Amino acid sequence: MLDISSPTSFGCDPLDAGASVCVERLCAGVYAVCVARSGKRGRVLDSYAEQAFRSLVSEGDNSAACRDALEHAYSSSYQQSLQKRFDFARAFAEYAAANPLIDSCWYPGLASHPDHAAAASLLRHGFGPLVSIGLSGESSSLRVFQLLGGTEAEQLLLLGGTTVTLLKGESGSYLLFNMGEGNVFELIDQVDNALRKV
């Protein structure tokens, strides 16, 4: 079972790749749930997938909010917006990977990512809107986050709809960027200025 809310159905087709069930958040409180049913790639109907589907979607939702969310998710303007976000994420990741002030950059579109080959075969229209960067030094990520305008307890919203989240992992903290539609060069400039002050 996969959550495809980040790459969206525009960015991948997990059922075609072999997943049994996928869930996508369309908007607040509205989710699309799909189950593999066709004979694509010689698949047979998976009884566990059917059971999971029935437990997630007991009766289905035909409300106006659900119909509106589905219509929006498949509109050409929304898909153009997603394409822009995917492209901006790629440009930001290339900048981050080449920046000597950034210790690590995780983005499946980079050849250095351990899942790059799998991502290239599974994802469509790019590699999604999420880029994470790690900085050396225990407090560096927090300091950059604060210089960008964030507080440790909240997600930061930058101009153009890009969000930045400070996350803690086993080997330290890192910043997760979910790209918006704002000018990616302005974002790079903001991050670069913050990095130089740390």
Side-chain angles (χ1 to χ4, degrees):
M1 184 180 298
L2 294 177
D3 177 359
I4 61 164
S5 299
S6 176
T8 74
S9 55
F10 173 76
C12 68
D13 184 357
L15 299 183
D16 188 44
S20 298
V21 180
C22 68
V23 180
E24 179 179 351
R25 181 182 184 271
L26 300 177
C27 65
V30 179
Y31 295 82
V33 181
C34 298
V35 64
R37 294 171 179 232
S38 72
K40 283 183 181 180
R41 299 189 181 184
R43 293 182 61 145
V44 295
L45 192 64
D46 184 337
S47 61
Y48 292 107
E50 286 290 322
Q51 199 172 14
F53 180 78
R54 282 195 296 276
S55 68
L56 288 166
V57 185
S58 54
E59 298 175 8
D61 184 357
N62 291 318
S63 68
C66 183
R67 287 193 303 272
D68 290 347
L70 281 168
E71 188 175 312
H72 173 71
Y74 291 99
S75 69
S76 61
S77 62
Y78 180 64
Q79 292 184 355
Q80 287 170 1
S81 164
L82 285 172
Q83 185 66 67
K84 187 184 281 190
R85 293 175 60 205
F86 289 11
D87 293 345
F88 285 173
R90 178 64 182 257
F92 183 75
E94 294 287 351
Y95 149 77
N99 190 323
L101 299 174
I102 294 175
D103 191 45
S104 60
C105 176
W106 288 83
Y107 181 69
L110 297 173
S112 59
H113 193 283
D115 296 323
H116 175 71
S121 67
L122 294 172
L123 298 177
R124 305 180 299 185
H125 306 109
F127 292 89
L130 302 178
V131 181
S132 65
I133 63 170
L135 305 170
S136 53
E138 203 159 311
S139 61
S140 297
S141 295
L142 174 59
R143 185 72 184 120
V144 168
F145 188 66
Q146 291 170 335
L147 287 166
L148 290 171
T151 60
E152 193 173 357
E154 297 177 7
Q155 186 180 67
L156 172 62
L157 177 64
L158 299 175
L159 289 175
T162 294
T163 60
V164 187
T165 309
L166 178 67
L167 298 170
K168 293 181 180 168
E170 290 178 11
S171 57
S173 57
Y174 60 97
L175 299 172
L176 176 65
F177 290 79
N178 189 345
M179 301 303 291
E181 292 185 70
N183 186 323
V184 69
F185 298 109
E186 289 180 7
L187 174 64
I188 287 171
D189 191 47
Q190 270 186 289
V191 172
D192 211 53
N193 286 334
L195 287 168
R196 291 176 191 283
K197 292 175 183 173
V198 172

